[in-house]
Amino acid sequence: MPSANLLTPESRFIAMFIGPKHSGKTVAALSFPGPSHDYDFDGRIRGILGAPWIDKSKISYDFFPPRETGLIDKIDKSLEAYITASKIGQPIPNTIVLDSLTSECLAIIQQSLPLTHSAGKGKKVGTVNMVGPEDYGVEANVTYQIMAGLRSLPVPNIIVTAHVIDRFGKANPEDPFSESIVVGEKLSVRDKIGENVKIYFDHIFRFDRKMVNGSEHFFVKFRSDIACTSYSELPHGEIDITGKSFYEVLMGYVKKPEILSNGS
């Protein structure tokens, strides 16, 4: 039975990287130690080509086109293969990335529609299959199964990316006729899934891209209305990570200086 006294910040990292498109989430995730494997649902693995600090020779990936036949089975077999490999002492990645939760959920809906609308079942508008309760059920169940599979892997770094959208509320909550305004943000997935999956992560980091004096800069926040962390050492406010390995930036805050100087 392991002792909590042996836990270290870098011994197990389970995190969600969130932000709008092109905010540097994939590059940040794949800056973690390899070998790494990316489950690429967004089709944007090429984003790492602009990051010379990433060792691409240590990264493998699977691309999942939304309408590829048997996608659910392919994911399950891949995760199971890693679990089996770990049990018999075969090497497995140090970092696993699911990129992104948003596209994964949309892909599972596409996988579900032919099943729930076979033999004349399901609602249609013309020739278009309309999403129904059964499809949402498949989306939720498969997503939770994938999360369970990822968390079952004896891998040091598990990272899931997700997109964010504005969250709206009433300007005056006590007035039902008050205008709607942006009151924050939320994950770009169905609300129930978005709330449920967040409980699995020790860290949720918020990434962003901004133009600064005509140049593209990338930033991260460790705390916001969604972002949070179990690392008390991480700073408040927005950190510029442009042109840097995010893993090295992160470990610079959570590792002791003497450990860093030894190159570990």
Side-chain angles (χ1 to χ4, degrees):
M1 182 180 297
S3 169
N5 190 48
L6 300 177
L7 292 173
T8 62
E10 65 275 11
S11 61
R12 178 76 163 160
F13 182 83
I14 303 180
M16 179 176 283
F17 290 2
I18 66 173
K21 63 179 182 180
H22 308 304
S23 57
K25 301 182 295 295
T26 301
V27 171
L30 291 174
S31 71
F32 278 66
S36 305
H37 188 78
D38 186 270
Y39 290 103
D40 182 18
F41 287 88
D42 285 350
R44 297 207 61 252
I45 185 70
R46 290 171 182 81
I48 65 173
L49 295 179
W53 55 88
I54 291 179
D55 186 351
K56 300 162 189 68
S57 68
K58 293 184 178 180
I59 298 173
S60 61
Y61 69 95
D62 286 307
F63 173 53
F64 296 97
R67 299 186 68 174
E68 178 181 309
T69 303
L71 183 150
I72 296 174
D73 188 49
K74 183 178 179 181
I75 301 167
D76 185 63
K77 286 183 177 179
S78 176
L79 292 172
E80 190 60 39
Y82 280 137
I83 293 173
T84 300
S86 70
K87 290 179 179 178
I88 61 177
Q90 292 183 350
I92 60 174
N94 286 319
T95 299
I96 297 282
V97 179
L98 189 151
D99 200 15
S100 67
L101 177 67
T102 305
S103 294
E104 176 267 316
C105 286
L106 295 174
I108 298 306
I109 290 289
Q110 291 298 314
Q111 294 290 301
S112 176
L113 285 170
L115 304 175
T116 58
H117 290 69
S118 62
K121 298 178 182 178
K123 183 179 179 180
K124 288 178 176 284
V125 175
T127 60
V128 178
N129 293 332
M130 301 303 292
V131 180
E134 295 86 358
D135 302 298
Y136 290 130
V138 173
E139 174 199 24
N141 286 332
V142 171
T143 297
Y144 299 148
Q145 288 173 21
I146 291 173
M147 293 297 110
L150 289 172
R151 292 164 57 232
S152 298
L153 291 172
V155 172
N157 308 300
I158 301 291
I159 302 170
V160 175
T161 71
H163 298 274
V164 294
I165 55 176
D166 289 335
R167 178 168 56 88
F168 290 87
K170 294 294 184 180
N172 181 0
E174 297 181 359
D175 179 4
F177 300 103
S178 175
E179 66 173 333
S180 294
I181 61 171
V182 176
V183 296
E185 59 186 8
K186 61 181 181 179
L187 301 184
S188 183
V189 294
R190 286 194 303 119
D191 286 348
K192 185 175 182 180
I193 293 176
E195 288 303 309
N196 285 342
V197 298
K198 286 190 290 187
I199 67 174
Y200 301 139
F201 300 98
D202 297 325
H203 316 279
I204 302 177
F205 297 158
R206 173 59 160 87
F207 292 82
D208 208 353
R209 179 181 68 91
K210 299 178 182 180
M211 297 303 293
V212 179
N213 297 324
S215 298
E216 185 179 56
H217 282 245
F218 294 89
F219 298 88
V220 64
K221 283 183 179 179
F222 301 117
R223 299 170 184 84
S224 71
D225 58 338
I226 298 182
C228 57
T229 180
S230 63
Y231 291 160
S232 60
E233 302 91 343
L234 296 182
H236 293 261
E238 199 169 55
I239 306 300
D240 191 332
I241 58 171
T242 307
K244 302 174 184 176
S245 163
F246 176 66
Y247 175 76
E248 292 182 1
V249 171
L250 180 67
M251 289 296 105
Y253 289 115
V254 302
K255 278 190 174 183
K256 295 179 180 179
E258 60 268 23
I259 296 178
L260 286 175
S261 65
N262 290 331
S264 62

